[in-house]
């Protein structure tokens, strides 16, 4: 009788219905748990949006098992990909090569201890840097220029130390940046207006600028609306978070210092450079620091000094220095400027401005020691010297050494002088034009994958292997800026990037980048992993990308399929939502594209686990 009841009328219908209800409830609670665990709701839903886009037919999701015989297919009896655990909460603001504890082991002479000192292999962290509790997506540009969430950079030190100088104010749960500075109490706009009375800022002649000792980078922040792109740097020091504030505001900046090694920029890079009470001892070491500024300053470029010793007659008592000492310092700066072929154009109140001559024929040097190195761009970890970088040769006294540039934005796509003069091996004017077309096509493909590219959601962008700057030029917009990184082991094209009116730096991706965690919204990398696969661990590069990427930030990688398989396997353990897809020209092209979004999660106190609640 027990067996026969399964054949009673209506029983099968009720049993099937019960099973369907149970399965439905299981699926519902599984999806609810996955949604809660992901933490997407904590930010602005970027991973969910990008995943939705890629799942709805905008791109082709690859089936690598079906198309590539050499793919390492993970069988059920093989170990799963390594899962990276969160680092302890103490590493929330970890900067591998500029950590305080390691820095204090190095000499203080010439700021050596504030320079890059990276951990040896055995001391590298192999975990995911956590975001602080309460972390939220930064304000969109241009609001981010003036406001930063306290939860993202929870340091009030500057609000106290610089309270009377209008750097930053704490209001409720946000920091407000009024645009003030030590040497521009009336605000950055008024300061820039005075500079613009001497320097052609308004007409596109000046496009790239360098701020040495930038504070919270208000000078760079306010230059942006005038279409001037400033690269700012400051050391990681007891002011805490200067560069972190700058990047949180959406302004280009790195951790750096004028110390004993060259700045990570090419020669003739910047149209304008400034020191606004940056406290750099310009007359020390026989003028070595001014000579380094001269190396990176373009012929015809401008140098601004506001702060000691300028206007010393007014401030000598405030600065607690003697008249004689300050007068002697300014006299020495004047002589060094003359040695460098800089002509003084302006001095009024707190500001002095010099202009670098356009070539060597237009100036008369007196007993200057000229650098003998054949490559003024070979600077990575190279010791700074007390010599003057020579001007490129010219045929007349009116010719601009190194080549004259068009005004921005025309110079963005004009053939850069370094290419026109044949100084970049293997690159011609024709191949440069083709490169620009290629990157316009690729960027359009990226935008089909992720429609947020080109919007204010991705303000701080990095190109890890920038080449000729084609990706950045195609993306150029006031909505975003791009840190163009030229790897030290690749062809040196950074000078071309600056000639286009873009900014960037040299870097070795086997080491940590000179920035705080969570400072980039979008990271693009073309060919980086092929470049480094026999030089250092791909895992280390991916973990560094995760460190500097903001929660719910995006990644776009393109590389050969075999390398991309390795990258995908490692990234699978990093709390990234990943999609691997065909090249924009179709599945037969061996280069593939990986897009990823970093999930939202924050650190827990007291242990090495994350908080997803």
């Amino acid at each position: 009788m027990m067996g026969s009841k399964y054949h009673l009328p209506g029983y099968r219908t009720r049993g099937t219905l019960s099973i369907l209800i149970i399965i439905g409830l299981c699926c519902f609670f599984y999806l609810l748990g996955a949604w809660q665990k992901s933490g997407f709701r904590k930010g602005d839903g970027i991973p969910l949006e990008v995943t939705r886009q890629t799942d709805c037919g905008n791109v082709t999701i690859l089936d690598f098992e079906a198309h590539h015989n050499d793919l390492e297919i993970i069988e059920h009896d093989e170990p799963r990909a390594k899962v990276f655990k969160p680092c302890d909460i103490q590493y929330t603001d970890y900067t591998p090569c500029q950590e305080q504890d390691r820095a204090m082991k190095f000499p203080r002479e010439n700021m050596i201890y504030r320079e890059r000192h990276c951990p040896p292999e055995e001391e590298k962290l192999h975990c995911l840097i956590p975001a602080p509790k309460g972390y939220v997506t930064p304000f969109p540009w241009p609001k981010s220029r003036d406001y930063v969430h306290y939860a993202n950079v929870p340091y009030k030190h500057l609000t106290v130390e610089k309270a009377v100088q209008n750097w930053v104010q704490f209001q409720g749960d946000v920091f407000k940046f009024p645009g003030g500075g030590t040497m521009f109490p009336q605000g950055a706009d008024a300061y820039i207006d005075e500079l613009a009375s001497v320097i052609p800022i308004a007409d596109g002649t000046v496009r790239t600028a360098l701020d040495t000792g930038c504070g919270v980078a208000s000078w760079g922040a306010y230059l942006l609306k005038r279409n001037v792109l400033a690269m700012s740097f400051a050391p990681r020091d007891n002011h805490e978070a200067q560069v972190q504030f700058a990047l949180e505001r959406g302004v280009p900046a790195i951790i750096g210092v004028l110390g004993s090694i060259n700045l990570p920029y090419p020669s003739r890079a910047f149209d304008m450079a400034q020191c606004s009470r940056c406290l750099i001892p310009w007359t020390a070491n026989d003028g070595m620091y001014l000579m380094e500024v001269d190396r990176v300053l373009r012929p015809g470029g401008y140098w601004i000094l506001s702060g000691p010793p300028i206007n010393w007659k007014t401030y000598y008592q405030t600065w607690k220095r003697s008249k004689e000492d300050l007068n002697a310092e300014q006299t020495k700066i004047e002589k060094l400027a003359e040695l460098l072929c800089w002509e003084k154009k302006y001095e009024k109140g707190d500001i002095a401005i010099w202009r670098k001559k356009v070539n060597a024929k237009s100036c008369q040097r007196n007993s200057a020691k000229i650098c003998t190195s054949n490559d003024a761009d070979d600077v990575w970890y190279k010791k700074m010297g007390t010599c003057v970088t020579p001007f490129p040769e010219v045929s007349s006294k009116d010719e601009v050494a190194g080549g004259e540039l068009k005004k921005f934005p025309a110079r963005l796509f004009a053939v850069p002088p370094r290419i026109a003069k044949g100084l970049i091996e293997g690159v011609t004017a024709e191949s440069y034009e083709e490169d620009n077309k290629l990157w316009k096509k690729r960027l359009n493909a990226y935008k089909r994958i992720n429609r947020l590219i080109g919007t204010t959601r991705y303000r701080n962008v990095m190109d890890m292997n920038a080449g000729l700057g084609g990706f950045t030029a195609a993306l150029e917009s006031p909505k975003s800026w791009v840190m163009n990184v030229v790897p030290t082991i690749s062809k040196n094209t950074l000078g071309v990037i600056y000639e286009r009116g873009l900014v960037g730096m040299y870097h070795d991706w086997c080491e940590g980048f000179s920035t705080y965690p969570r400072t980039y919204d979008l990271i693009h990398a073309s060919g980086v992993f092929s470049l480094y696969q026999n030089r250092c661990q791909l895992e280390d590069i991916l973990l560094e990308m995760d460190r500097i990427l903001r929660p719910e930030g995006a990644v776009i990688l393109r590389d050969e399929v075999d390398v991309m398989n390795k990258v995908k396997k490692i990234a699978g353990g990093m709390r990234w939502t990943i999609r691997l897809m065909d090249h924009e020209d179709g599945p037969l092209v061996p280069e593939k594209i990986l897009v990823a979004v970093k999930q939202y999660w924050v650190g827990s106190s007291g242990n090495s686990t994350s908080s997803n609640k």
Side-chain angles (χ1 to χ4, degrees), residues 273-525:
Q274 84 137 4
C275 162
S276 177
R277 194 162 170 76
C278 63
L279 303 181
I280 293 170
W282 295 113
T283 59
N285 300 321
D286 297 321
M288 181 172 72
Y289 300 134
L290 269 183
M291 292 174 183
E292 177 64 357
V293 170
D294 178 72
R295 181 185 69 83
V296 301
L297 191 63
R298 191 178 308 286
Y302 296 84
W303 185 61
I304 305 135
L305 177 59
S306 59
I310 304 303
N311 206 7
W312 58 264
K313 292 178 182 178
T314 301
Y315 294 115
Y316 74 95
Q317 289 180 318
T318 303
W319 296 336
K320 297 180 181 179
R321 293 177 62 183
S322 70
K323 294 180 180 180
E324 293 76 17
D325 179 36
L326 287 163
N327 186 32
E329 183 179 342
Q330 178 154 355
T331 299
K332 193 169 183 179
I333 287 175
E334 305 276 6
K335 290 181 178 179
L336 283 167
E338 187 178 337
L339 188 72
L340 296 170
C341 291
W342 296 2
E343 181 184 3
K344 195 169 191 178
K345 291 292 186 180
Y346 181 86
E347 181 173 348
K348 183 179 179 181
D350 299 339
I351 299 174
I353 301 174
W354 284 262
R355 187 184 186 209
K356 183 176 179 177
K357 297 282 190 176
V358 297
N359 59 45
K361 290 182 182 292
S362 61
C363 73
Q364 296 295 322
R365 296 192 197 271
N366 294 315
S367 65
K369 181 183 177 183
I370 305 298
C371 300
T372 56
S373 170
N374 293 324
D375 190 356
D377 296 352
D378 182 16
V379 293
W380 187 246
Y381 283 127
K382 295 297 174 65
K383 288 289 183 181
M384 213 181 294
T386 53
C387 59
V388 180
T389 303
F391 284 100
E393 293 293 329
V394 294
S395 56
S396 72
K397 70 174 185 177
D398 296 323
E399 182 183 348
V400 178
E404 189 168 3
L405 299 174
K406 293 184 180 294
K407 295 179 180 179
F408 197 85
R411 80 190 246 193
L412 182 62
F413 289 104
V415 178
R418 278 174 166 89
I419 293 177
K421 293 175 181 292
L423 301 179
I424 308 298
E425 184 180 355
V427 180
T428 63
E430 291 74 21
S431 63
Y432 167 75
E433 299 287 356
E434 288 301 314
D435 186 75
N436 287 332
K437 292 177 184 177
L438 176 65
W439 281 109
K440 285 180 180 178
K441 175 183 175 181
R442 288 177 171 178
L443 184 66
N444 286 333
Y446 293 160
K447 288 181 176 179
R448 289 194 296 272
I449 296 169
N450 183 346
R451 296 182 188 131
L452 296 171
I453 293 173
T455 71
T456 56
R457 177 55 183 84
Y458 298 144
R459 171 65 184 170
N460 298 358
V461 182
M462 174 180 284
D463 192 354
M464 294 176 64
N465 187 17
L468 300 175
F471 167 78
T472 304
L475 187 63
E476 168 60 26
S477 163
K479 296 176 182 177
S480 63
W481 65 273
V482 182
M483 177 68 78
N484 292 281
V485 180
V486 171
T488 56
I489 60 172
S490 66
K491 183 181 294 184
N492 185 357
T493 54
L494 193 54
V496 166
I497 288 168
Y498 274 94
E499 287 177 343
R500 300 186 72 167
L502 307 172
V503 296
M505 62 180 286
Y506 299 111
H507 183 64
D508 181 355
W509 284 114
C510 291
E511 301 179 355
F513 193 73
S514 293
T515 192
Y516 285 85
R518 303 172 303 281
T519 46
Y520 287 88
D521 302 297
L522 173 65
I523 298 177
H524 175 256

Side-chain angles (χ1 to χ4, degrees), residues 1-12 14:
M1 291 296 295
M2 293 296 291
S4 65
K5 81 173 187 176
Y6 291 98
H7 298 90
L8 293 175
Y11 188 87
R12 176 178 298 174
R14 290 194 299 274

